[in-house]
Each structure stands twice: as C-alpha cells, then as structure tokens.
C-alpha cells in the first residue's frame, strides 16, 4: 500500500512516526515538503533568536527518513491532485500514484488586504525562512511594529525586542489584546505589564496602508494617524492551506480549511487531512496538541484499511484550546471555557494591579467543578487547574483557595497531584498519562526530567507540561522514600544552600573546620572552591590566610589567571572604565618593565598577560603604588561595572552614569558569589553600556534608574529582566544588596544569575516579590549583611604583598625562588609577545 | 613520615629537596632538581607526603604543583589547574580514564628536611 503525505511540517512528521510504530508490512511512505528543511519544531521557532540553531529545532534529520525507508522530497510542493485516478503532480514535475493520500499542509500567515505589503522590510512570521529574513533586516532597524495583538503577534513582538529593537509597537484591530483567550480585565492587565516592558500597544487601530518607497517607513491608519517604523511583521492570524484540496474538488469550509469527519477523512474517502489544514466540526485548531491527536487517528485508520480489520479505531472528537503563552516577563494562560458566564456559573476573580496579576476561574453553580479560567501575570497553577477541569476533579470547599498565592504552611503535599487520576492526560501533545510518567520513575528508574522525556516522550511537543512532569517526578520519588538534593560532592551530604546556612550558624571560618564539622574524608577540587566561596561571601576575610590558600581554586590561590605555558595575567580594577592619563602611563611603564602583552578587555579595562609567578608581587607593588587595586578577574566575584559616558558629555545622557557605575563597582568590589557577577550602567535607553546583558544592569530614566537583573552574555545569551523602575540611587543600591545576597545564599555552585532565575519557581515575579516586596522578610538582614561585607573589603593583593608567608608562595621553585620556569616560551606577534603554543 | 611507592623496585637514592616548613599545608610546591621539575605535596590532613613529576601530560604544562589535592573514594589525588585532569598520588594513574599516567617518587622527611627518592640523581645538588 502506498501512503503519500503532502507537507512535511510538525504533524506530518508525527504522523510518519506514529505510522512506523505500527510496523505494517508492505507499506511505502512518500512525503513531499514545500520547505527546504525537514520538519522542525515550529512551536519553538522564536528560539532561533535566543541562541538555538535550525539544527536544534529539527525534529528528525534527513537520515531518519532514510533509515526508516521514507521517500522524502524537500523543496518540492505538490501542485495538483487528480483523485479519480489517485495521481498527484509536484512542482518539479514528479508524478506519483497513491493508495491513500494524507494532506498535512498546515496553514499560512493570514495577510490582510493592505496596500504596500510588497515593500522591503515587511515580513510574515511562520517559517525558518521568515525568521532568517527578519534577523538580517532587523540589524538595520531601530523601530519595529507588529500588526496583530494575538498569541502569535505578541510572540513576534517579543522577538523584535530580543533582536534589540527596543522601540516596538503592536497594532491590534480589536479593542484589546488576545481577544480569543482573555476577557477585558485580563487583556488590560496584560497590556499594562507589556507597556512597562517597553512595548507600545495601540488597540482599535485599523491599518489603511503601508508607507514608504521601496522599503517600509511607516503605517497609515484609517483614523488618519500614522506611525514610523523600519520593520513590520504581519501576524494577523492564520489561514488553513486548503487551496490544493479545493482545486481538486474536495469540500472546504469558509476559512479554507479542509472538511474532515471524525476519522480525519475528507470528502474523498482515500484522502485524509490532519493538522492545521483540517476543519473538523467547523473548527480549525491552531495548536500542536490537537494536530498530534489527528495524526494518531489517521495512523489508526490507515492501519485499519491495511489490515482490513473491522473493529472501530480511535476517533477525533474535538479538543479544547487551552494554552499557556511564553511571553517576556509575564505569564498568560487560558483553559477550558475561559469566558463561561451566566446564571448557572459562578466566577471567582483575583485582581492585583500592584503585582500585575489577574486570575479568573469559572465554577459550576454547585461549586463542585472547574469549567475554565484565565491567568495573567502568574500562571504557576496552570497545569494543575487544567487537569482539575479536564478530569472533572471535585473542587475543595473554598474553590478560591486554588488560585490564591500559595501560603507556605498551607501548601498541600505534592500540590494536588495526589488527587489526579492515573489516566489524567499530562502531556496532551504525546498523549502521556500521569500513570505512564509515574511508572517511568518507579519501574524504569527515570530520575531526571530528561530521562522521562526519553522514556515516555512527555514534554517533547510544546513543552508546556514540563513543570508538571518535574513535579510528578519529585512527588513519585518522594513517595518511594527518595529525597532529591544537589549535594556538593562525595565529601559533603549537603546542598550549597544548606552548607551556607550551616557555616553561618556555626560561624566556621576555615575550609578544614568546615570539613571536620560538616563533611567527611579529605575534600577535593569540587568542594574546596565551593566552600571557599561560601566562606568568603560570609565573612569577606583575605582568602589566602588561615590555611585557606590551598582550598582556593588555582586562579584564586595566585590571585591571577593562569595562561598557556603557566604564566599569569594581571588585571587591575578600573571602576566604570574611567582612567586618568597618569594611570594609563603607569600601566604602560609597568607592562614595559616586566615585558607584558597588553590588551583592552571586553570589560572596559586593561589586561597584562605573560607574567611569571615570581614577578606577580613585584608588578602588584608597583601597581598599588600607582593607585590601583585588584580587579578580581581571577575570582568568582564582582568583575566589572561597565559604564557609558553619560550626562557629563553625551548629548542624550539623562544622569551621570559613570559616577554611578564607579559607586556601584566600589560598593561590591571583592564580593565573592557562586559565579562571577557583572554589571553596567547606561545613561539612557540607547544602552551603550549593554546593561541588559549583565547580572544586574542599570539604565537611567527621566525619573531615576531602571534596574534589570539576571542577564547573561556567554554561550547562552539572555536579556536581563526589569526588576523595578524609576528608582532613586539609594533604593537602587538597596535592591541590588538584597538581590545579590539572595543569589549568594541560594544559587548552586557555578550558577550564573540567569540560570539561577531560570530554575526559580515563579521566575521574575517571585524574585521581584522577594526583593521589592520583601516577601521573605529578609530584606533588612540582607542589607545589613551586605554592609558588613562592604566594610570588610580590603585589596587582597595589598595584603598579599605585605604578608611574608603569603608572598613567599609566589615562586615557581621552592628551592630556587629567584629562578623562573625555564620551560616557559614566548613568540612575537605584531610587536608584542604571545604564549608559545601547546606542545 | 615515609611513603613508599610500591611500583618502584630499585632502592632509590635520597636527594635533599627542600625544608618541610616551606611546603604549603594541604598543597604542593615545585622542586628543581637539575633540569628536572618535581612536585611535592604535603597532605597535612592525612599526614602524608607525595611526589610526582611536575609536568601535566595533557598539554605538557609545568603545573601539577599548583594543583588542588583531595581524595576520591579515599584515594589521594591532584587536579591540574589547567583542565582539571586528576591523577592518583599513589600510582600516578590518570583518574579521568585517559591514557596519560604520571611518574611518582618516594618521599621521606627527616629533621625538617624533605628527601625525594630518584633513580638517576642529577649531577649537582640543591638544598
Ligand atoms: C580578558 C577577557 C577577554 C578580553 O580580552 O576582552 C576575558 C577572558 C576570559 N574569560 Fe571572559 N573575558 C572577558 C570578558 C568577557 C565578557 C564581556 C563582558 O564582561 O562584558 C563576557 C560575556 C559577559 C558575561 O559574562 O555574561 C565573558 C564571558 C565569559 C564566559 C562565559 C560566561 C557564561 O556565563 O557563559 C567564560 C567562561 C566561564 O566563566 O565559565 C569566560 C571565561 C574567561 C576566562 C577566564 C577563561 C579562563 O578560565 O581562562 C578568560 C581568562 C583569560 C585570561 O587568561 O585572563 N568569559 N567574558 C575579558 C575580561 C574582562 C575584564 O576586564 O575582566
Ligand atoms: C511562531 C509560532 C509559535 C507557535 N507557538 C505555539 C505554541 O506555543 N503552542 C502550540 O500548540 N502551537 C503553537 N504554534 C502552532 C504550531 O506550530 C502549529 O499548530 C503546527 O506547526 C501545525 O502543524 P502542521 O503540520 O499542521 O502545519 P505546519 O507545521 O505549518 O506544516 C505544514 C507544512 O506543509 C507545507 N506545505 C503546504 N502546502 C504544501 C504543498 N502543496 N506541498 C508540499 N508541502 C506543502 C508547508 O510548507 C509546511 O512546511 C506556533 C506557531 C508559530 C508559527
Ligand atoms: S547610553 Fe545614552 S547617555 Fe550613555 S553614552 Fe549612550 S547615548 Fe549617551
Ligand atoms: S594541561 Fe593539565 S589538564 Fe590540561
């Protein structure tokens, strides 16, 4: 039997996979795809702007099709079908006979009839190709606009922000955002949160035409107003791609969708349609879960046809449209019947404009069942609410409890998971039940989310269920008496946070006493740096004293970064990047004297490379005499606070960003943390100091400073999120004190703030609550702790050169301290030296 | 305290390396013996002395004496500061499964002086 599939999108791939697992003999599968890429994860398309590559999104490589004997044709759309003789023809002229045809042509972005759509700089948001085009054009754009304030439009707007277009507008025809998912109050709450993130939202705007010559320059609206823009994304909805079906006489609906019955059969019994192109019961489904369900139904039907079985197979009976949106800095979800209202229905609403939270649930008149609801600003209960409504689980006597912010003491063990029946569908994309997930833990020994994903496929579709999968895993493991903790290494049975609290409680000051009191054995290169960092974060004593020197990571032990060949680099602190000519000259003289390679670093300071270990104290004596101090480039500590020139010179500057950067750098210099911490201060929203890529970044506003936290450069760049706006300098520092102390206390070893936040339940909203609203009641304590650390600061290089026992360690040969390591070699490059190559 | 390396069969010749008080507690130092470099470790917690070649075989860096010492399953080891490859201080075996073992030497301490046992002592001696 010859099965031919038109389209190679997500649902087509899932269909092939499901058909293969049925292992039908004498079945050939051919797939025609219009796009150049084999099926990829469209749901996570936007992650192309967050460091993912097209390979990362690929669902299965071309070799997978080959290995499974699927004949795959990419870049070759099917052009017409002749159902009477079961033939089709492709763009490249290929003619193919089928026994069964499956249409999985998806949908395309809906393009409203507006003049000027053909201009350069106008894009759709649907395919990898679209995103590549947007990315290359966006580098030229300063202002961006998205037409469409629905699910996809908001995602596209976030993408523009991610691409660095900070002035981004959203145009919505309806009076509010996400009209299909949210009620009026929910939309209003979302709108105010998005505005505070820097998006400008225009509702009830009807675009008349697109302005510009060759390229877009703006939009004109029917009310006569206009808006300038350099780039435009049109995301005004989707249209099922039923044109191929319509051309060959299959029945299609109003919106172009291909009419199917509960077997996924079209009006021709040998042709099926699945995914976004299918119209079932006058509904098309723009989500992945129902598409996968249709793939399952169609695969079952074909098995039936093939084996001639007479029993009935699984039918498609519709799907609910519950969704959770992955937005910037805020959560949005709707589930079940979000709008249910009337005499038989009770609505419970929680609205907190202070935190930007709106929750609404619709409950049956007898108060027993949850019918649906809306969550804005805090969707942490989404999965459990969805399960409660889907499985018709009896509500507690006070249904409002389920949306109230969890009060620690009251939190029910397992967060209501116990009440879910075994057949509750946790992953609707892959149809994985609660029982299957629990079994993978108890029977197959899966103890990480990744293992469960591999074992059951749960969470491999849209990924929305992953938090719940993790909760289930933890819950099941706890029931088995297993307790999961991130212990440090074989010498300590504690997590970093537990050790931090214990060391503080017992006032331990050296690595050895910590090991004696709290650990076992003789330590190793994992626990030594971690404990040393905790000791330093707690007491801020000179790290090389009290026998703690050999418990330091090797760079900290020599207060410098080891380089190829075994020499070291020297980085004096240059707060805010500001330096006097005298100091520049001093650095030049010293570098010349000790023959060091010099380079301006990416952190706005000067690095001198190639110092022999025995020269380090001499170099530092001279640097200190010239007014420098350690830059801690070697430590998991505060690195640099970069600054832009700011209001003292810049014509746009709102405040003196250099002065504030210096103040911040001098406050936190020497502060050790689970990983390095970086900061920056910009004088206005043009953001020349790149503050939004830092662990904490500060940007001047008309009214004060905006404080952003948890950004990261490195291999997985992540923008910082707004923690608080328009702060005066003192408040800004107080919030940073609290933020840093919270991070230092709770992060795992070697975890940057971005990763720490990503793992934090409740995310930025929770963090904001802790830092700004003092929800843990720790703020005063943390500010006091920080002040003690600030007071205890000393330049560790100064102490090192003044303390003979420490200074004597800076020698290569213990029995010939004056001699340098003769195996060190250098080469010359552009008139300076460089390290000899690895051998 | 004497630690004898069991893999060495020949009786070594003891050479003066350095003063015991010059070796960092729970850490290492590098001793120059002619044109050889030997790392000496004083594992104070266990009251044990060890000596190995100073060169890390991974990228041929003279760095093991600056590495962190510790144990794995009670086997004493040193981690190279460059890429944290670890070696057993007892046998010199690389504990990361790589085929690059290091040479170890017997050590003894008498009257505050550290001696290393070598097969072929260098011409001149340092103290
Ligand atoms: C010297 C410098 C490069 C330069 O010539 O400009 C540099 C050099 C090193 N960086 Fe960097 N980074 C330098 C700026 C940066 C920046 C830019 C910035 O700070 O604005 C970043 C991205 C921002 C960020 O950290 O989020 C950066 C992200 C990294 C990372 C990735 C961190 C991450 O979270 O993914 C590492 C690896 C790590 O820390 O694990 C790293 C690690 C390193 C190490 C320490 C690698 C190592 O362990 O040997 C390099 C030390 C070289 C040496 O021997 O001294 N360096 N590094 C820069 C020193 C700045 C300074 O004045 O202190
Ligand atoms: C940016 C974005 C974010 C999204 N986020 C979510 C989300 O969070 N949650 C969620 O559930 N859903 C989300 N979706 C929707 C989800 O991606 C779709 O529901 C899903 O991709 C539909 O799969 P499909 O196979 O039916 O269609 P598609 O994935 O569109 O695949 C159809 C394929 O068929 C090809 N084709 C069309 N006509 C022909 C022809 N004649 N010949 C050959 N090939 C043809 C097309 O080129 C396309 O490659 C998102 C979509 C986008 C664009
Ligand atoms: S960030 Fe603003 S104030 Fe600072 S230099 Fe750039 S433009 Fe000037
Ligand atoms: S040089 Fe020692 S581990 Fe690489």
């Amino acid at each position: 039997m010859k099965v031919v599939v038109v389209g190679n999108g997500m649902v087509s791939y899932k269909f092939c996979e499901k058909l293969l697992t049925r292992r039908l003999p004498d079945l050939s599968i051919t797939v025609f795809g219009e796009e150049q890429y084999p099926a990829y994860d469209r749901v996570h398309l936007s992650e192309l702007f967050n460091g993912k590559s097209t390979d990362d999104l690929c669902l299965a490589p071309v070799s997978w099709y080959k290995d499974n004997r699927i004949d795959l044709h990419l870049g070759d759309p099917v052009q017409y079908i002749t159902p009477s003789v079961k033939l089709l023809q492709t763009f490249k002229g290929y003619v193919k006979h089928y026994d069964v045809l499956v249409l999985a042509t998806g949908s395309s972005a809906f393009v409203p009839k507006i003049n000027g759509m053909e201009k350069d700089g106008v894009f759709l948001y649907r395919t990898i190709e679209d995103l590549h085009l947007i990315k290359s054009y966006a580098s030229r754009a300063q202002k961006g606009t998205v037409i469409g304030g629905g699910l996809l439009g908001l995602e596209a707007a976030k993408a523009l922000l991610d691409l660095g277009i900070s002035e981004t507008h959203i145009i919505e025809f309806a009076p509010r955002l996400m009209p299909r998912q949210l009620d009026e109050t929910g939309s209003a709450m979302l709108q105010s949160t998005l505005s505070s993130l820097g998006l400008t939202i225009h509702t009830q705007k009807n675009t008349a035409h697109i302005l510009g010559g060759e390229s877009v320059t703006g939009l004109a609206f029917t009310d006569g107003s206009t808006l300038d823009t350099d780039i435009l994304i049109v995301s005004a909805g989707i249209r099922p791609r039923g044109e191929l079906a319509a051309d060959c006489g299959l029945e299609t609906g109003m919106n172009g969708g291909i009419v199917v019955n509960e077997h996924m059969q079209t009006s021709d019994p040998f042709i099926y349609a699945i995914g976004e192109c299918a119209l079932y019961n006058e509904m098309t489904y723009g989500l992945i879960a129902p598409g996968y369900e249709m793939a399952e139904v169609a695969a079952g039907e074909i098995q039936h046809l093939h084996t001639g079985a007479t029993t009935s197979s699984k039918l498609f009976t519709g799907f609910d449209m519950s969704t959770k949106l992955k937005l910037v800095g805020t959560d949005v979800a709707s589930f079940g019947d979000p709008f249910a209202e009337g005499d038989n229905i009770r609505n419970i609403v929680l609205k907190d404009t202070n935190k930007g939270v709106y929750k609404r649930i619709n409950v049956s008149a007898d108060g027993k069942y949850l019918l649906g609801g809306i969550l804005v600003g805090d969707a942490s209960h989404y999965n459990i609410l969805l399960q409660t409504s889907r499985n018709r689980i009896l509500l507690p006597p006070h249904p409002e409890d389920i949306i109230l912010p969890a009060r620690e003491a009251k939190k029910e063990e397992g967060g209501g998971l116990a009440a879910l029946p075994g057949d509750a569908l946790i992953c609707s994309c892959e149809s994985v039940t609660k029982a299957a997930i629990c079994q993978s833990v108890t029977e197959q020994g899966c103890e990480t989310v990744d293992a469960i994903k591999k074992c059951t496929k749960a969470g491999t579709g849209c990924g929305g269920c992953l938090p719940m999968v993790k909760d289930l895993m933890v819950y099941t493991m706890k029931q088995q008496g297993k307790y999961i903790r991130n212990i440090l290494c074989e010498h300590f049975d504690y997590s970093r946070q537990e050790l931090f609290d214990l060391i503080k409680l017992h006032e331990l000051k050296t690595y050895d006493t910590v090991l004696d009191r709290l650990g076992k054995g003789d330590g190793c290169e994992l626990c030594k740096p971690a404990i040393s960092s905790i000791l330093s974060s707690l007491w801020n004593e000179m790290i090389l004293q009290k026998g703690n020197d050999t418990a330091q990571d090797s760079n900290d032990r020599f207060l410098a970064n080891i380089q190829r060949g075994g020499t070291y680099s020297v980085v004096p602190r240059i707060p805010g990047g500001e330096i006097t000519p005298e100091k520049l000259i001093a650095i030049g003289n010293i570098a010349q004297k000790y023959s060091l390679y010099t380079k301006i670093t990416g952190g706005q300071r000067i690095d001198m490379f190639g110092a022999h270990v025995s020269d380090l104290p001499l170099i530092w004596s001279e640097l200190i005499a010239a007014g420098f101090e350690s830059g801690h480039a070697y430590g998991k500590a505060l690195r640099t606070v970069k600054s832009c020139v700011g209001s003292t010179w810049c014509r746009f500057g709102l405040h003196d960003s250099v002065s504030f950067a210096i103040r911040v750098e001098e406050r936190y210099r020497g502060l050790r943390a689970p990983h390095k911490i970086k900061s920056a201060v910009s004088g206005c929203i043009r953001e020349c100091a790149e503050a939004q890529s830092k662990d904490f970044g500060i940007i001047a506003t008309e009214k004060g400073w905006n404080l952003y936290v948890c950004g990261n450069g490195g291999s997985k760049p992540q923008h910082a999120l707004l923690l608080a706006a328009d702060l005066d300098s003192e408040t800004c520092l107080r919030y940073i004190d609290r933020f840093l102390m919270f991070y230092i206390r709770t992060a795992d070893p070697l975890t940057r703030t971005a990763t720490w936040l990503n793992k934090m339940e409740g995310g930025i909203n929770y963090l904001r609550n802790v830092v700004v609203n003092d929800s843990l009641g720790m703020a005063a304590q943390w500010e006091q702790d920080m002040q003690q650390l600030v007071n205890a600061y000393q330049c560790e290089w100064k102490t090192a050169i003044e303390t003979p026992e420490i200074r004597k360690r800076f020698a290569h040969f213990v029995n010939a301290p004056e001699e340098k390591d003769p195996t060190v070699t250098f080469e010359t490059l552009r008139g300076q030296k460089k390290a000899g190559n690895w051998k | 305290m004497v630690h004898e390396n069991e893999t060495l069969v020949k009786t070594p010749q003891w050479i003066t390396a350095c003063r015991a008080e010059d070796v960092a507690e729970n850490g290492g130092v590098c001793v120059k013996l002619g044109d050889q470099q030997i790392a000496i470790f004083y594992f104070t917690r266990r009251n044990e002395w060890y000596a190995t070649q100073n060169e890390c075989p991974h990228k041929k860096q003279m760095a093991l004496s600056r590495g962190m010492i510790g144990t794995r399953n009670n086997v004493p080891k040193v981690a190279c500061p460059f890429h944290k490859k670890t070696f057993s201080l007892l046998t010199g075996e690389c504990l990361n499964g790589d085929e690059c073992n290091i040479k170890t030497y017997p050590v003894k301490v008498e009257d505050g002086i550290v001696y290393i046992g070598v097969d072929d002592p260098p011409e001149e001696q340092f103290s």
Side-chain angles (χ1 to χ4, degrees), chain A residues 644-647 650-654 657 682-689:
Chain A
C644 74
V645 61
S647 61
C650 176
R651 65 203 161 111
F652 294 115
L654 296 171
S657 47
S682 279
C684 82
I685 193 60
R686 288 170 190 75
E687 249 282 71
C688 301

Side-chain angles (χ1 to χ4, degrees), chain A residues 564-565 567 595-596 609-612 823-828 833-837:
Chain A
R564 281 169 182 243
T567 62
S595 168
L596 305 172
F609 296 82
H612 285 277
T823 65
V824 172
T825 59
F826 299 107
E827 290 163 18
T828 316
K833 72 179 185 187
K834 79 174 192 77
N837 274 332

Side-chain angles (χ1 to χ4, degrees), chain A residues 339-399:
Chain A
F339 304 115
E341 242 161 15
D343 294 344
N344 289 331
I345 288 161
R346 301 197 313 197
N347 303 111
I348 302 174
V349 168
L350 180 123
K351 183 174 161 187
D352 180 344
T353 37
N354 177 34
K355 293 185 194 143
V357 171
Y358 171 69
K359 299 180 186 180
R360 159 187 175 159
I361 52 174
N362 311 318
V363 176
S364 61
D366 55 10
K368 283 187 178 161
Y369 300 106
L370 179 60
L371 306 174
I374 293 169
L375 305 170
V376 177
D378 171 14
S380 51
H381 295 101
Y382 170 71
N383 276 311
I384 196 78
L385 292 177
L386 177 66
Q387 292 297 342
T388 306
S389 76
R390 267 203 195 142
N391 295 294
R392 289 183 67 77
I393 293 177
L394 276 185
L395 287 170
H398 299 285

Side-chain angles (χ1 to χ4, degrees), chain A residues 370-561:
Chain A
L370 179 60
L371 306 174
I374 293 169
L375 305 170
V376 177
D378 171 14
S380 51
H381 295 101
Y382 170 71
N383 276 311
I384 196 78
L385 292 177
L386 177 66
Q387 292 297 342
T388 306
S389 76
R390 267 203 195 142
N391 295 294
R392 289 183 67 77
I393 293 177
L394 276 185
L395 287 170
H398 299 285
E400 66 277 14
D401 283 353
I402 61 176
I403 51 167
L404 286 176
R407 272 170 247 151
E408 286 306 320
K410 267 181 67 183
K411 225 179 178 178
E412 189 189 335
E413 179 67 14
L417 291 173
L420 287 182
D423 58 2
L425 206 56
I426 305 297
C427 170
S428 37
C429 296
E430 292 286 346
S431 315
V432 188
T433 59
K434 171 184 164 186
I437 291 171
C438 295
Q439 267 166 26
S440 76
V441 177
T442 53
E443 283 160 32
Q444 276 132 308
C446 299
E447 297 196 343
T448 62
V449 172
D450 278 341
I452 297 177
K453 277 168 96 174
K454 255 202 199 112
C455 220
T456 64
K457 297 212 141 205
T460 55
C462 72
C465 63
L466 282 176
M468 193 155 209
V469 171
K470 172 148 190 227
D471 288 348
L472 269 174
M473 177 187 85
V474 172
Y475 163 78
T476 314
M477 286 175 69
K478 272 193 187 150
Q479 278 197 322
Q480 290 180 289
K482 290 184 186 166
Y483 182 36
I484 5 175
R485 271 185 325 172
N486 294 334
I487 61 162
L488 221 53
C489 68
E490 65 177 65
H491 305 107
F492 288 93
D493 257 338
Y494 296 105
S495 68
R496 183 183 177 281
Q497 182 173 350
E498 289 164 333
L499 277 169
F500 188 97
D501 291 341
L502 287 168
I503 293 173
K504 181 169 185 194
L505 186 75
H506 296 294
E507 294 193 32
L508 305 179
K509 304 263 169 107
T510 69
Y511 172 76
D512 264 343
T513 53
V514 175
L515 185 57
D516 289 340
R517 291 284 293 273
L518 307 171
K520 52 176 185 272
D522 299 308
C524 67
E525 74 280 3
L526 296 176
C527 58
K528 282 183 177 180
I531 305 257
S532 298
S533 155
I534 293 175
L535 288 170
S536 179
S537 296
L538 277 172
W539 320 119
N540 207 5
E541 294 181 327
M542 163 55 174
I543 59 169
L544 301 182
Q545 282 168 336
K546 299 192 178 169
N548 280 331
D549 54 342
T550 50
Q552 304 296 331
D553 220 336
S554 66
N555 280 351
D556 283 291
R557 185 176 168 202
F558 292 97
L559 305 177
N561 297 43

